[in-house]
PDB file of all heavy atoms in Angstrom:
ATOM      1  N   PRO A 568       3.603  -5.404 -17.580  1.00  0.00           N
ATOM      2  CA  PRO A 568       4.208  -4.188 -17.043  1.00  0.00           C
ATOM      3  C   PRO A 568       3.501  -2.910 -17.453  1.00  0.00           C
ATOM      4  O   PRO A 568       3.840  -1.846 -16.977  1.00  0.00           O
ATOM      5  CB  PRO A 568       5.627  -4.223 -17.612  1.00  0.00           C
ATOM      6  CG  PRO A 568       5.520  -5.032 -18.843  1.00  0.00           C
ATOM      7  CD  PRO A 568       4.465  -6.064 -18.568  1.00  0.00           C
ATOM      8  N   ALA A 656      -7.733   7.896  12.607  1.00  0.00           N
ATOM      9  CA  ALA A 656      -6.763   7.564  13.641  1.00  0.00           C
ATOM     10  C   ALA A 656      -6.342   6.103  13.543  1.00  0.00           C
ATOM     11  O   ALA A 656      -7.126   5.230  13.126  1.00  0.00           O
ATOM     12  CB  ALA A 656      -7.358   7.832  15.021  1.00  0.00           C
ATOM     13  N   PRO A 697       0.692  24.914  -9.956  1.00  0.00           N
ATOM     14  CA  PRO A 697       1.994  25.318  -9.409  1.00  0.00           C
ATOM     15  C   PRO A 697       1.894  26.108  -8.122  1.00  0.00           C
ATOM     16  O   PRO A 697       2.878  26.249  -7.406  1.00  0.00           O
ATOM     17  CB  PRO A 697       2.588  26.175 -10.531  1.00  0.00           C
ATOM     18  CG  PRO A 697       1.870  25.771 -11.762  1.00  0.00           C
ATOM     19  CD  PRO A 697       0.478  25.433 -11.321  1.00  0.00           C
ATOM     20  N   CYS A 712       0.174  -1.899   3.666  1.00  0.00           N
ATOM     21  CA  CYS A 712       0.527  -3.313   3.567  1.00  0.00           C
ATOM     22  C   CYS A 712       0.194  -3.948   4.909  1.00  0.00           C
ATOM     23  O   CYS A 712       0.742  -3.526   5.938  1.00  0.00           O
ATOM     24  CB  CYS A 712       1.998  -3.495   3.213  1.00  0.00           C
ATOM     25  SG  CYS A 712       2.491  -5.227   3.006  1.00  0.00           S
TER      26      CYS A 712
END
Side-chain angles (χ1 to χ4, degrees):
C712 182

